[in-house]
Amino acid sequence: MKNIKAIIFDAYGTLFDVNSAAEKCKDKIGDKWEGFANYWRTTQLEYTWLRSLMNRHKDFWQVTEDSLDKSMIAFNIDSSMRDELLNLYKVLSPFKEVPKVLKILKKKQFKLSILSNGTPDLLNGLVKTNKLDNIFDDLFSIEQVGIYKPDSKVYDMPIQKYRIEKNEIAFLSANTWDVSGGGNYGFNAIWVNRNKNIFDNLDYKPSSEIKDLSELISLI
């Protein structure tokens, strides 16, 4: 990791808690809130992959709406909650260690960026809401290339912008398929394994595995 010049983060599930929207409504949703949140996230990701394969692109916000609509039917959640859940998704909470770690890394003068499926508006809103807008050098959105991760065109973006080698990037994601995508592309891909999950068999093993971002400091 000594040759690292840029540290690039996935946003959803890595920096920001994708379940926090549903969790803030758990008093209304009840005990099924977590199952609902996980179903919504899984459907959202499946739609990104399927739309990429079908060449039927919709932006991430439209995919988020479509996947929510299916999930609310599947979990019998009243349609009156739709707008509330969508508004909360725009202001997802960061994981608790994230702001402190990012500020430490900023002082070390690495290039710090987000590389995400999210639209530019969504990403800008997330970092501003959580007072992180002075941290990142760039917010790379897949909308610049019109296809979702793990297509290699997505991982090309920071290489083209920074004109550095693939192995000079540390790429962090909590999503195993994204770690495999970035790692197979050539990044030093680090798995943020918050929930003690099992890594997928996708022709790549992460260069490091950490339980949260606080462990990144000792790696760098």
Side-chain angles (χ1 to χ4, degrees):
M1 302 294 288
K2 294 185 184 300
N3 67 332
I4 296 301
K5 295 179 179 176
I7 305 174
I8 298 179
F9 300 90
D10 168 60
Y12 294 97
T14 303
L15 297 178
F16 304 100
D17 184 357
V18 291
N19 286 357
S20 62
E23 185 174 13
K24 290 171 184 173
C25 295
K26 64 182 180 182
D27 290 343
K28 297 179 183 178
I29 297 173
D31 293 341
K32 61 185 178 182
W33 76 266
E34 193 167 11
F36 162 71
N38 290 331
Y39 187 92
W40 182 11
R41 172 62 170 168
T42 299
T43 304
Q44 179 194 55
L45 289 173
E46 287 174 349
Y47 284 4
T48 66
W49 300 327
L50 291 168
R51 286 193 168 279
S52 292
L53 288 168
M54 294 187 298
N55 293 315
R56 299 282 292 180
H57 185 71
K58 281 187 175 181
D59 72 33
F60 193 65
W61 186 243
Q62 294 173 301
V63 166
T64 299
E65 290 185 312
D66 289 346
S67 56
L68 174 62
D69 290 339
K70 179 188 177 185
S71 303
M72 292 182 73
I73 294 170
F75 279 78
N76 195 29
I77 293 173
D78 194 283
S79 59
S80 64
M81 291 193 64
R82 185 180 189 271
D83 287 347
E84 182 178 4
L85 286 163
L86 287 172
N87 287 333
L88 287 170
Y89 202 90
K90 292 179 179 178
V91 292
L92 294 174
S93 302
F95 292 99
K96 61 182 181 180
E97 85 284 358
V98 165
K100 180 180 179 180
V101 171
L102 291 176
K103 288 170 186 173
I104 292 171
L105 293 172
K106 186 71 172 176
K107 291 178 181 177
K108 293 179 179 290
Q109 298 185 326
F110 291 103
K111 287 278 190 185
L112 298 179
S113 305
I114 287 176
L115 179 62
S116 173
N117 282 338
T119 65
D121 284 347
L122 283 173
L123 296 176
N124 277 301
L126 275 179
V127 297
K128 287 179 180 176
T129 299
N130 292 294
K131 297 182 172 61
L132 299 173
D133 46 326
N134 63 336
I135 296 290
F136 296 104
D137 295 280
D138 290 281
L139 305 177
F140 295 105
S141 166
I142 64 95
E143 289 303 310
Q144 294 170 240
V145 292
I147 194 166
Y148 286 101
K149 295 178 184 178
D151 192 277
S152 62
K153 287 190 283 293
V154 177
Y155 304 113
D156 276 335
M157 287 190 287
I159 294 295
Q160 293 173 356
K161 175 72 180 287
Y162 298 144
R163 299 193 178 278
I164 58 179
E165 299 298 321
K166 295 176 181 179
N167 64 3
E168 293 175 324
I169 286 179
F171 176 67
L172 287 92
S173 181
N175 303 294
T176 59
W177 56 270
D178 194 16
V179 175
S180 296
N184 280 308
Y185 175 79
F187 292 159
N188 284 294
I190 299 169
W191 183 27
V192 186
N193 186 10
R194 298 180 183 278
N195 300 312
K196 298 181 180 179
N197 291 326
I198 299 170
F199 201 79
D200 286 308
N201 296 319
L202 291 170
D203 298 331
Y204 183 77
K205 296 299 180 186
S207 60
S208 299
E209 178 182 334
I210 58 179
K211 65 181 180 182
D212 60 41
L213 291 196
S214 61
E215 294 186 357
L216 177 62
I217 304 301
S218 59
L219 284 180
I220 299 296

